[in-house]
Amino acid sequence: MTTKDPRAAGLARLAALVADETRAACLLALLDGRAWTAGELARHAGVAASTLSEHLGKLVAGGLLAEERQGRHRYVRLADARGAQLVEDLAAQVAPGIAERPRTLRQAGAGSAMARGRTCYDHLAGRLGIAVTDALTARGLLLQDTGFALTDAGLRWFGTAGIGLDRRGRRPLARACLDWTERRPHLAGVAGAALCRHALETGWCVRIGSERAVKVTEAGERALSELLGIPAQALR
């Protein structure tokens, strides 16, 4: 007699949650790491508020989203970094040719900005994320031999740069995350999140538009050139 794998039912439920275009659109939007209102997500997904509410209920019940209420507003966000990793990893499996081509100049511009630099939940992605990851690796601060790992020099670099690393939780210090536009891994984990947070707080990067796109500022170009030797043209 065949014994069923006890994980099978859970995996099937998770796959069913993601296997809906409206819910997938919401999950991708929430990769910006911020909390969105139900109304904002409804407009983003192009569905009625009542329809979106039903989808959000399923995602919250399934553990992919967390819900917060402030007054009459309902906010949702990705429940944790593991859920964000799942969404990004699945998105990375979509071949470039399958993605819908932009229909307008605005869509084309937004796509170009996302490819240049964006946040992936709480770390940097796109060409910006790859440039930072490559620079850390070239300087011996990050190893990519068997998964990502910060070297002792890398730990000192973060301290010297004034980027604190909270190592108290179970989240890995450094983790590879497959970049869906570059098709190469960029830095995630505690170190990736700390670097992204520092870049936004110090004004090295600023968010642009309503998507996850970020732009490196002149101050960011100078800092990343001084700290990691990344040429300015690689960040534009």
Side-chain angles (χ1 to χ4, degrees):
M1 182 177 67
T2 302
T3 302
K4 288 186 177 180
D5 190 322
R7 300 169 298 178
L11 180 58
R13 287 193 297 270
L14 179 61
L17 275 178
V18 181
D20 177 273
E21 188 170 351
T22 297
R23 292 197 289 271
C26 293
L27 292 169
L28 288 170
L30 290 167
L31 277 177
D32 68 359
R34 295 178 287 186
W36 288 46
T37 67
E40 289 170 336
L41 283 173
R43 290 190 292 273
H44 176 80
V47 298
S50 57
T51 300
L52 195 281
S53 180
E54 181 180 349
H55 286 297
L56 292 184
K58 292 180 179 179
L59 290 169
V60 170
L64 287 178
L65 298 186
E67 182 181 35
E68 300 173 2
R69 290 187 180 274
Q70 291 187 8
R72 61 187 181 86
H73 293 293
R74 177 192 189 190
Y75 291 87
V76 292
R77 56 177 172 78
L78 289 171
D80 52 35
R82 292 181 302 172
Q85 178 185 346
L86 170 68
V87 176
E88 187 73 11
D89 287 348
L90 287 173
Q93 302 308 312
V94 180
I98 296 177
E100 183 178 353
R101 294 185 180 277
R103 298 177 180 177
T104 65
L105 286 176
R106 182 178 181 181
Q107 289 179 341
S112 177
M114 287 277 283
R116 181 173 58 247
R118 64 183 183 277
T119 55
C120 171
Y121 185 50
D122 62 359
H123 53 272
L124 297 173
R127 292 196 298 275
L128 169 60
I130 294 298
V132 170
T133 300
D134 285 350
L136 288 169
T137 304
R139 291 186 167 227
L141 309 176
L142 176 70
L143 297 178
Q144 298 191 37
D145 299 337
T146 55
F148 276 20
L150 289 183
T151 63
D152 290 339
L155 291 172
R156 290 193 297 271
W157 180 88
F158 272 84
T160 301
I163 304 174
L165 298 175
D166 186 354
R167 306 171 66 180
R168 292 171 297 179
R170 298 175 59 185
R171 191 178 185 185
L173 182 60
R175 180 181 67 79
C177 180
L178 181 61
D179 197 292
W180 62 267
T181 53
E182 296 299 302
R183 302 285 156 170
R184 295 175 53 203
H186 56 243
L187 176 64
V190 171
L195 182 56
C196 178
R197 183 171 58 252
H198 186 80
L200 290 170
E201 289 177 349
T202 58
W204 292 359
C205 295
V206 292
R207 296 185 185 274
I208 55 176
S210 59
E211 298 288 345
R212 295 184 282 140
V214 297
K215 177 183 178 180
V216 180
T217 63
E218 290 185 4
E221 289 180 357
R222 290 194 299 270
L224 292 173
S225 175
E226 293 171 2
L227 291 170
L228 289 173
I230 303 175
Q233 59 267 27
L235 302 171
R236 297 172 181 170

